[in-house]
Amino acid sequence: TEPASSSGLSAGTQSPRTHAAHADPLTRRQNGSDTRERPRACAEAPPAGFAPGARLAAAGFQTAQELLDTGPCGLSKEIGISREEALEALQVVRQECHGDAARPAGGSGATRKYTALELLEEEQSQGFIITFCSALDNILGGGVQLTKITEICGAPGVGKTQLCMQLAVDVQIPECFGGVAGEAVFIDTEGSFMVDRVVDIAAACVQHCHLIAEAQQEEDHQKALETFSLENILSHIYYFRCRDYTELLAQVYLLPEFLSEHSKVRLVVIDGIAFPFRHDFEDLSLRTRLLNGLAQQLIIIANDHRAAVVLTNQMTTRIGQSQSTLVPALGESWGHAATVRLILHWDNSQRLATLYKSPSQKESTIAYHITSHGFRDVQPPAVTHSTEGTELNPRKRPRAEEEKQQ
Amino acid sequence: VCVSMSNIQLQGMKMSHSFTGKQKTVKHKYCDSGDGLLLSLPRLGSMAAKKLRRAQLSQEMCERLSRYQITTCQDFLCLSLLELMKVTGQSYYEVQKLLCKVSRACAPKMQTAYEMKLRKSVNPSSAFLSTTLHSLDRVLHGGVPCGSLTEITSPPGCGKTQFCIMLSVLATLPVSMGGLDGAVIYIDTESAFSAERLIEIAANSFPTYFDSDEKLLCMTRSIHLYRELTCCSVLKRIMSLEEEIILKKVKLIIIDSVASVVRKEFDTKLQGNLAERSNFLTRGASVLKYLAEEFSIPVWLELASQIKNNSWKLRGTA
């Protein structure tokens, strides 16, 4: 057959958008000859070491596409060569076909390959958002992790919103003090966000950092403190009040755009993911579908923008045969959405936090307090400083100073 | 627009009626509350019911969507991407853009915490309603906060209703005397409100201010009492409050009491009642929160509690 023009015939052999690696290069080959010519060209002028060229033609292979679709094992069986030779042959064909064609961009943006080593390095260099309660930070493995979804469940009044407000302030701590120097988005569905309380928490945090800076007398600490003021902290908490699940869905759809504009955001808090979904839902399957969609979008947001996503959930009563227990609301399938699950509960008058689900830390319970300064430990941690590394962890000041200040 | 409502059982009778008028089955359950069927309860303060044509979608797109009975933002956002592609006939990327457009139409506005603080500090005196009990005011950092819900609960006989009546008087006082200079809406489910007691409290607490009958009558005219005896009617009343508040310049809402009417109608031992009860409560709570925030007024909820095993246990709600 005559070599026909590439635009005419080769266009016909393509199916749009399948196997991007295969389709496009075949149209963009430089010499422009018909793809069907390919095997023959190999037979006539085989590249160095391409012995099976004649056998391919004999077996009836007409197009390069067929060859690539068959795969090395099938090819080796059909024409009677070893698998390694078949693989080599295929690679040569692929090479020839690609030529200088650029790889199609986009489309495969979601399939990123990592080795576990790369992931390990990335995880180790990742920052944590501390909670100012060192016991809680310890069981979480350092604090609230970026790029993960953390869920905080608890009965009313146990301190979920307090913890969220504390995190919204702590995410802004400058790096020289051990923070991630980010901004926070606070999506409120219950209306329990109190600005005055955030002012108290932020003032205590700034005070804490000032005392560290005085104790350590380093230049970058002083510089960081200039920008770490009450007004700045409050200005970098972006607050959205969503009245029902429609507004919540709409806001989460718009969140990626918002985060691209405000690239320093490192924390997204949704206070009360359960509240808008617990009423007005006759159709529970719709609710499950919407929640799953929401969870997926949040995971994408957490990964793409390197932000921590913190959700608070309510508790609901599960009536068993003989007793009823408190379990997190929104059902079993929602339990899969969060990577880390923290349950806050009471034991008489002591508040406890239990790490219920975590991929890397073990399940444990600690006690915490909520003081006028925010989320704190129950008793002062051991006076000996942490032994990791040679330098003092700048976050962990000796407790004695804080008591003096109080 | 029919929106799904709470599923309420009234004294063991349950009537349910489901019809498939749309592509998706919508089940409506209602109760006959004696004053008609409670069929449609508009959603207060939310953008969910916003029509798509106000979301700046093109006319033909709106017409096309209405053929599938998708007329509001809520309908649009509840569909998955594939379903949206099917009903709009657009490509994946076009649908993403449409989603953003519709989302922008009903997403809330952003404020920074700093702006919120500035707004509060502009008018500090109207942030609280002082209860005139100094130690209580101190602990509450000023008094009953405006713009949020406050709940009071206690065993019977401790004085909750007296407290409510006292607050009603305080709210009608002028701002110079620590009041809110406005009307009061009092939703009474136990018929415990006594007008005579109201006048007695007013005359004895503020004898210099209420020095004439005229002043007392003026005060009583600004307290609007509603007697509601069922969950349905309480919810209906709460829904209708938005216009009343604007019309009558209301500055305080009192509900006395939520728990009694809930306890009468929902027996938690019966199957399914727990879900219905929490449905009703969260529904009511979200409306009250909207009213409190929108108008910056305090909402005072009274709850009864019961004695259980010698230690009183709170019947929790929102």
Side-chain angles (χ1 to χ4, degrees):
Chain A
T1 55
E2 288 340 319
S5 67
S6 70
S7 53
L9 282 171
S10 51
T13 60
Q14 310 320 317
S15 51
R17 288 207 190 194
T18 56
H19 288 308
H22 293 163
D24 279 312
L26 291 173
T27 47
R28 294 198 203 151
R29 280 180 32 229
Q30 282 195 329
N31 55 17
S33 57
D34 187 2
T35 52
R36 288 195 198 100
E37 288 277 285
R38 216 59 209 103
R40 289 179 197 225
C42 295
E44 288 158 13
F50 198 72
R55 290 209 230 176
L56 281 177
F61 280 101
Q62 298 270 329
T63 62
Q65 182 72 27
E66 262 182 85
L67 272 181
L68 295 170
D69 279 343
T70 314
C73 294
L75 199 61
S76 74
K77 285 188 197 122
E78 265 200 65
I79 54 178
I81 54 174
S82 76
R83 286 198 204 132
E84 287 76 18
E85 286 180 323
L87 184 61
E88 224 181 274
L90 282 182
Q91 278 172 349
V92 166
V93 170
R94 205 173 276 147
Q95 199 90 20
E96 294 273 342
C97 291
H98 286 179
D100 295 61
R103 256 186 214 261
S108 55
T111 56
R112 286 171 283 210
K113 285 193 320 190
Y114 292 99
T115 62
L117 181 64
E118 286 167 19
L119 277 178
L120 180 65
E121 286 165 4
E122 205 180 285
E123 275 180 26
Q124 280 178 342
S125 66
Q126 202 136 93
F128 291 93
I129 306 177
I130 61 170
T131 61
F132 266 99
C133 171
S134 54
L136 188 59
D137 288 340
N138 283 338
I139 62 168
L140 286 174
V144 171
Q145 229 179 331
L146 296 183
T147 75
K148 299 268 190 295
I149 300 189
T150 307
E151 188 179 334
I152 305 173
C153 318
V158 76
K160 307 187 291 291
T161 309
Q162 296 293 312
L163 182 54
C164 291
M165 295 196 283
Q166 181 77 59
L167 289 172
V169 169
D170 290 349
V171 73
Q172 307 190 39
I173 295 178
E175 276 162 357
C176 55
F177 292 106
V180 298
E183 302 173 353
V185 165
F186 200 105
I187 300 179
D188 188 4
T189 61
E190 296 175 340
S192 36
F193 183 81
M194 295 281 138
V195 190
D196 301 312
R197 185 62 180 141
V198 177
V199 168
D200 287 345
I201 294 177
C205 185
V206 171
Q207 180 73 338
H208 184 111
C209 291
H210 268 107
L211 288 173
I212 295 182
E214 272 169 32
Q216 303 208 328
Q217 294 289 340
E218 278 177 41
E219 242 197 68
D220 49 353
H221 285 188
Q222 301 297 335
K223 232 170 51 125
L225 276 181
E226 282 164 30
T227 48
F228 191 57
S229 68
L230 192 59
E231 286 79 37
N232 272 338
I233 297 180
L234 290 180
S235 313
H236 291 144
I237 299 180
Y238 304 109
Y239 177 79
F240 298 88
R241 173 78 168 94
C242 293
R243 296 254 150 72
D244 63 3
Y245 71 88
T246 311
E247 292 188 14
L248 181 62
L249 288 175
Q251 188 52 49
V252 175
Y253 274 125
L254 295 178
L255 212 46
E257 201 184 304
F258 185 85
L259 291 183
S260 313
E261 288 167 19
H262 299 84
S263 56
K264 287 189 72 187
V265 171
R266 289 282 170 269
L267 173 69
V268 174
V269 175
I270 302 186
D271 186 10
I273 191 111
F275 186 66
F277 287 102
R278 286 189 82 184
H279 59 106
D280 289 340
F281 266 102
E282 290 285 332
D283 184 6
L284 280 183
S285 62
L286 173 66
R287 185 180 95 165
T288 312
R289 188 154 60 75
L290 292 179
L291 282 174
N292 285 339
L294 209 58
Q296 281 177 344
Q297 284 172 54
L298 290 173
I299 293 176
I300 293 176
I301 288 174
N303 275 319
D304 285 350
H305 298 96
R306 270 196 74 228
V309 175
V310 173
L311 312 170
T312 59
N313 198 357
Q314 296 173 349
M315 301 294 266
T316 184
T317 319
R318 181 187 292 162
I319 317 252
Q321 254 100 351
S322 53
Q323 55 177 17
S324 54
T325 49
L326 277 182
V327 296
L330 296 182
E332 295 281 335
S333 50
W334 176 252
H336 300 290
T339 318
V340 177
R341 228 177 193 191
L342 203 58
I343 298 192
L344 306 181
H345 53 113
W346 294 92
D347 178 22
N348 293 329
S349 52
Q350 177 58 55
R351 295 171 204 256
L352 300 172
T354 302
L355 185 65
Y356 187 70
K357 172 185 177 192
S358 165
S360 54
Q361 305 294 321
K362 77 170 180 154
E363 203 176 300
S364 37
T365 305
I366 53 107
Y368 65 91
H369 258 172
I370 299 185
T371 67
S372 58
H373 299 289
F375 223 75
R376 294 289 187 270
D377 282 303
V378 170
Q379 67 229 10
V383 180
T384 57
H385 306 307
S386 67
T387 49
E388 310 157 32
T390 50
E391 53 167 353
L392 194 65
N393 191 337
R395 294 191 325 240
K396 299 213 186 299
R397 278 186 307 115
R399 188 77 179 185
E401 283 182 50
E402 189 166 351
E403 282 169 359
K404 240 187 275 167
Q405 162 227 338
Q406 275 173 5
Chain B
V1 174
C2 282
V3 178
S4 73
M5 319 155 292
S6 48
N7 176 349
I8 295 178
Q9 275 184 319
L10 188 59
Q11 293 163 359
M13 286 194 313
K14 178 162 86 165
M15 301 191 311
S16 74
H17 168 80
S18 72
F19 62 86
T20 51
K22 310 183 170 188
Q23 281 189 339
K24 41 188 196 290
T25 313
V26 179
K27 277 216 236 177
H28 289 273
K29 296 186 187 165
Y30 51 80
C31 73
D32 191 344
S33 63
D35 38 351
L37 296 170
L38 208 65
L39 266 182
S40 71
L41 294 172
R43 205 73 82 73
L44 272 191
S46 109
M47 296 305 223
K50 190 170 182 179
K51 297 286 186 202
L52 283 175
R53 61 187 128 83
R54 291 196 289 132
Q56 292 168 1
L57 286 187
S58 70
Q59 185 70 10
E60 21 158 343
M61 181 59 67
C62 291
E63 277 169 19
R64 187 187 171 129
L65 289 172
S66 63
R67 265 180 268 142
Y68 292 93
Q69 266 105 31
I70 301 170
T71 47
T72 65
C73 292
Q74 181 179 7
D75 299 332
F76 195 87
L77 290 175
C78 281
L79 297 175
S80 71
L81 274 174
L82 281 180
E83 286 172 349
L84 281 175
M85 282 166 70
K86 185 179 102 164
V87 301
T88 59
Q90 303 274 331
S91 73
Y92 180 77
Y93 296 107
E94 291 296 316
V95 164
Q96 296 271 31
K97 278 195 240 163
L98 280 177
L99 265 174
C100 278
K101 231 189 209 174
V102 174
S103 300
R104 233 165 275 147
C106 51
K109 223 172 51 102
M110 192 266 288
Q111 342 165 34
T112 65
Y114 190 54
E115 288 162 14
M116 290 168 71
K117 175 164 173 285
L118 283 182
R119 219 166 341 130
K120 276 197 130 181
S121 53
V122 160
N123 210 350
S125 63
S126 66
F128 293 100
L129 169 62
S130 157
T131 60
T132 69
L133 299 172
H134 296 294
S135 18
L136 184 59
D137 282 345
R138 201 180 37 236
V139 167
L140 291 176
H141 284 273
V144 179
C146 293
S148 55
L149 270 60
T150 309
E151 187 182 298
I152 183 175
T153 178
S154 75
C158 280
K160 295 190 296 296
T161 307
Q162 303 299 309
F163 210 120
C164 292
I165 297 177
M166 178 72 172
L167 278 182
S168 319
V169 174
L170 291 174
T172 55
L173 292 177
V175 179
S176 53
M177 291 181 68
L180 297 175
D181 195 20
V184 176
I185 286 186
Y186 197 112
I187 300 180
D188 185 9
T189 64
E190 294 177 321
S191 305
F193 186 86
S194 151
E196 277 188 26
R197 183 66 182 133
L198 172 74
I199 296 189
E200 193 184 356
I201 289 180
N204 288 327
S205 314
F206 302 99
T208 46
Y209 181 73
F210 291 113
D211 48 8
S212 66
D213 279 348
E214 182 56 47
K215 285 246 180 78
L216 281 173
L217 288 178
C218 182
M219 183 264 297
T220 53
R221 256 201 295 275
S222 41
I223 297 185
H224 304 277
L225 185 69
Y226 298 99
R227 287 225 161 87
E228 310 290 349
L229 298 169
T230 64
C231 288
C232 266
S233 53
V234 169
L235 201 54
K236 224 165 56 159
R237 176 64 57 197
I238 295 176
M239 299 283 186
S240 69
L241 282 181
E242 190 173 12
E243 295 182 7
E244 306 264 331
I245 295 174
I246 301 176
L247 202 61
K248 298 178 178 148
K249 299 198 185 12
V250 171
K251 290 282 195 252
L252 172 67
I253 301 178
I254 297 181
I255 304 188
D256 173 14
S257 75
V258 175
S260 68
V261 71
V262 164
R263 220 173 335 140
K264 266 195 290 185
E265 291 186 25
F266 294 105
D267 185 355
T268 49
K269 291 196 210 67
L270 287 182
Q271 183 87 12
N273 264 10
L274 204 55
E276 296 166 25
R277 189 183 83 153
S278 76
N279 201 350
F280 161 74
L281 289 172
T282 37
R283 190 90 190 283
S286 68
V287 175
L288 289 172
K289 283 191 209 216
Y290 161 70
L291 291 173
E293 287 171 21
E294 183 70 27
F295 297 105
S296 284
I297 57 180
V299 176
W300 185 260
L301 293 171
E302 199 187 292
L303 241 62
S305 72
Q306 57 170 183
I307 310 280
K308 191 168 179 147
N309 298 336
N310 284 339
S311 63
W312 48 283
K313 179 179 160 215
L314 296 168
R315 311 251 349 181
T317 63

